[in-house]
Amino acid sequence: MKYIEFYDENSIENLCACLMMLPEEVIMVGDNAASMKRHIENCKKMFASRGQKIEFSYKTVSRWNTDQVLQVLEKILQDTQDCVFGITGGDEMSMFALGILCERHKEKNIQVHRISVQNNTVYDCDMDGIKIEKGSPKLSVAENVRIYGGT
């Protein structure tokens, strides 16, 4: 399974789904390539310290260009059979583009989830009754420091 996460400066929000159910790959979508690269390296280190290997990649988009975001999401959907879109992080324009994608491709049963860190709840945003839930996301203090680049 692949998770598509919309990049957010709040690193916890980018990892919630990964911490609940280990994916094979995570694709970050956002407008800041340098930040996403740093974040990915920090995540790889954190998961490696747990003995877990996840492939990470990123796609850079302009947060003000709905068409460009939609094209990137369409390409990801075209290339991926089993994916979940996480909307815990990200910006409004990306969420808008994802809504358009879901409407255009209703037949593909696109999975969209949001995780509330505050109340440890997974929200089934695509409303199909299927959730990615497998336990609650947990991070140690040291792991939390690591995902923000600290040691």
Side-chain angles (χ1 to χ4, degrees), residues 1-37:
M1 178 181 302
K2 287 185 187 179
Y3 287 160
I4 293 73
E5 293 286 350
F6 294 94
Y7 179 73
D8 199 291
E9 292 295 324
N10 183 342
S11 294
I12 296 289
E13 294 193 350
N14 294 312
L15 287 181
C16 284
C18 297
L19 293 167
M20 291 185 92
M21 194 169 152
L22 201 63
E24 298 163 9
E25 183 178 350
V26 174
I27 302 171
M28 294 276 170
V29 177
D31 68 340
N32 189 328
S35 288
M36 286 189 291
K37 284 181 193 178

Side-chain angles (χ1 to χ4, degrees), residues 3 6-7 10 21 24 39-40 53 83 100-101 105 108 110-111 115-116 122 126 133 139-140 145:
Y3 287 160
F6 294 94
Y7 179 73
N10 183 342
M21 194 169 152
E24 298 163 9
H39 175 67
I40 286 170
K53 185 173 181 348
C83 66
I100 294 170
L101 181 82
H105 299 281
K108 293 200 177 204
I110 298 170
Q111 295 297 302
I115 299 168
S116 169
V122 176
D126 56 73
E133 227 168 348
L139 275 179
S140 68
V145 169

Side-chain angles (χ1 to χ4, degrees), residues 14-104:
N14 294 312
L15 287 181
C16 284
C18 297
L19 293 167
M20 291 185 92
M21 194 169 152
L22 201 63
E24 298 163 9
E25 183 178 350
V26 174
I27 302 171
M28 294 276 170
V29 177
D31 68 340
N32 189 328
S35 288
M36 286 189 291
K37 284 181 193 178
R38 261 190 319 277
H39 175 67
I40 286 170
E41 288 310 309
N42 293 337
C43 289
K44 284 180 180 178
K45 289 175 189 172
M46 192 278 297
F47 282 107
S49 73
R50 292 179 163 199
Q52 299 167 326
K53 185 173 181 348
I54 298 175
E55 294 294 320
F56 283 91
S57 61
Y58 67 93
K59 305 286 183 191
T60 307
V61 295
S62 168
R63 73 177 348 178
W64 306 113
N65 187 333
T66 306
D67 188 51
Q68 183 190 48
V69 176
L70 188 55
Q71 285 178 23
V72 167
L73 298 180
E74 294 241 341
K75 178 76 171 126
I76 291 170
L77 187 62
Q78 176 185 1
D79 295 344
T80 307
Q81 294 300 316
D82 187 21
C83 66
V84 174
F85 288 86
I87 60 170
T88 305
D91 61 82
E92 296 84 2
M93 210 54 101
S94 296
M95 299 305 108
F96 181 68
L98 179 60
I100 294 170
L101 181 82
C102 289
E103 178 60 26
R104 281 188 184 172

